[in-house]
Amino acid sequence: MKVLGMGNALVDVLAIIESDKTLEVLQLPKGSMQLIDEIRLQVVSEEINKLNKSIVSGGSASNTIAGLASLGIGTGFIGRIGSDSYGQHYKSDLEKYNIKSHLTEVDEASGVATTFISKNGERTFGTYLGAAALLNAEELNSEDFKSYKYFYIEGYLVQSHDLIRKAILLAKEAGAKVILDLASYNIVEENRDFLLNIIPQHVDIVFANEEEAKSLFNTTPEKAVSLLAANTEIAIVKTGEKGSWIQKGNEKVFVEANKVDCVDTTGAGDLYAAGFIYGLIHDCTLSVSGQIGTLLAGHVIEAIGAKITDDKWDGIRERIKGFM
């Protein structure tokens, strides 16, 4: 049961900020993902270069796929990179995780997600898409979708409506179930009508967090998960440090979050999705799948960056065995 992901192939440049005034100066709303151009990238880069920063390969869907690969699931990834050092770093990371590359390499600057981490762990992105933005519907290849059981789309791509429609069509033709993560509340706000159209028609499993669900339905997480579940096979609405609502048909469960020391919430939703999908692949209950997702999310927020460090995975696999 292999999983194919499609998303923005971005390199994350991350740093902790002393005060949220930095975000105000850069005009980046706290907790949001803002697309920026080359001019704003220079300004944002100058600011983050003053801080103690780290550089890792990222992108929402890629983080999820890397988590699944680390748990032994066969995976692949569709995206675009530039022919620069960031692009080579990204490609090497896919190889490291044994993820089958469906990357297109172009003569453009690679995408960079500049990530400012507030003292409470919340992250704010200034994202320059670069080469990643060149991913388009005409260049999708039906061969890339074959042999995958699940197709996972990150919500940051939702702004490209033609791309999403074509990708879903190819996934369905290949017999794959479609999973959509809504990714960011401002993306949901800007594409609400489109989402309300494609989710009931084409999406089998949907992930949202509390803010994204509110942007979509303007109601509580518990009610939102039911609204989503009425139009999909499985719906998940995460509520941060409280836990997550999960519903399939009339079965609804709430899985409490684990108490951990939060350093950086980057990747929490991505790794939650990886754990949940892993449970789904192994025919776990909704509750157990949610617990596996919660376990992975708890681990990734204990350190800076959107990936769980290699030394943690053996212990995580042992914990998962206990759930199953």
Side-chain angles (χ1 to χ4, degrees):
M1 291 223 184
K2 298 199 299 181
V3 182
L4 175 66
M6 183 177 77
N8 287 319
L10 302 172
V11 173
D12 291 335
V13 181
L14 310 101
I16 295 175
I17 53 177
E18 289 298 320
S19 167
D20 290 339
K21 288 182 179 178
T22 300
L23 304 178
E24 295 174 13
V25 170
L26 295 172
Q27 297 181 329
L28 295 173
K30 185 176 180 179
S32 72
M33 190 288 288
Q34 300 290 317
L35 294 179
I36 60 176
D37 57 19
E38 286 188 72
I39 295 173
R40 286 195 71 194
L41 175 64
Q42 291 178 3
V43 175
V44 169
S45 295
E46 286 176 8
E47 194 64 36
I48 205 165
N49 285 338
K50 300 174 185 175
L51 306 170
N52 183 21
K53 66 181 186 297
S54 59
I55 301 173
V56 295
S57 65
S60 179
S62 178
N63 295 334
T64 299
I65 293 300
L68 283 162
S70 297
L71 291 172
I73 301 298
T75 56
F77 180 76
I78 297 172
R80 270 199 172 225
I81 58 171
S83 54
D84 52 19
S85 60
Y86 281 150
Q88 295 309 304
H89 178 92
Y90 197 94
K91 187 161 44 172
S92 296
D93 229 31
L94 291 190
E95 293 172 0
K96 169 190 171 183
Y97 287 98
N98 294 315
I99 299 167
K100 184 172 182 180
S101 172
H102 301 284
L103 292 173
T104 301
E105 192 169 334
V106 294
D107 189 21
E108 298 282 345
S110 294
V112 180
T114 308
T115 310
F116 294 95
I117 306 161
S118 298
K119 285 294 186 179
N120 68 347
E122 189 168 7
R123 72 274 192 274
T124 303
F125 298 99
T127 303
Y128 172 69
L129 291 175
L134 298 176
L135 189 63
N136 61 76
E138 289 73 24
E139 295 176 350
L140 291 177
N141 184 352
S142 60
E143 290 297 315
D144 290 342
F145 290 79
K146 292 182 177 177
S147 80
Y148 292 99
K149 177 67 175 176
Y150 295 97
F151 176 52
Y152 180 88
I153 310 168
E154 69 173 60
Y156 294 120
L157 295 181
V158 164
Q159 296 175 111
S160 181
H161 296 182
D162 289 342
L163 173 68
I164 296 297
R165 288 192 182 98
K166 179 69 175 294
I168 286 173
L169 175 65
L170 293 177
K172 293 290 187 180
E173 287 178 348
K177 290 190 175 185
V178 173
I179 307 172
L180 175 65
D181 191 308
L182 296 186
S184 176
Y185 71 86
N186 55 313
I187 300 293
V188 174
E189 288 174 355
E190 293 164 9
N191 297 274
R192 186 173 182 272
D193 291 342
F194 177 69
L195 288 167
L196 290 174
N197 178 260
I198 66 160
I199 289 173
Q201 293 187 49
H202 304 296
V203 176
D204 299 289
I205 302 165
V206 63
F207 289 90
N209 66 26
E210 189 169 0
E211 292 77 17
E212 293 151 11
K214 188 173 182 180
S215 295
L216 198 61
F217 294 120
N218 194 29
T219 188
T220 64
E222 184 178 359
K223 290 180 180 177
V225 77
S226 295
L227 290 170
L228 286 168
N231 293 290
T232 59
E233 183 180 330
I234 301 174
I236 302 98
V237 175
K238 298 158 289 180
T239 58
E241 62 184 14
K242 299 173 189 172
S244 55
W245 287 100
I246 307 165
Q247 186 165 347
K248 178 179 183 180
N250 293 322
E251 181 187 1
K252 182 194 291 188
V253 299
F254 183 78
V255 176
E256 292 186 359
N258 297 327
K259 295 188 185 303
V260 297
D261 293 326
C262 179
V263 174
D264 170 21
T265 60
T266 307
D270 306 333
L271 271 297
Y272 179 99
F276 188 91
I277 295 167
Y278 179 86
L280 194 64
I281 288 172
H282 289 85
D283 296 320
C284 294
T285 64
L286 297 182
S287 181
V288 168
S289 295
Q291 288 175 54
I292 298 172
T294 299
L295 174 68
L296 266 60
H299 274 282
V300 79
I301 68 175
E302 290 182 316
I304 292 177
K307 289 186 172 66
I308 296 171
T309 54
D310 294 343
D311 61 309
K312 297 282 185 69
W313 280 107
D314 285 342
I316 289 171
R317 295 184 196 102
E318 287 301 312
R319 286 284 305 279
I320 290 174
K321 286 180 184 178
F323 292 136
M324 303 169 73

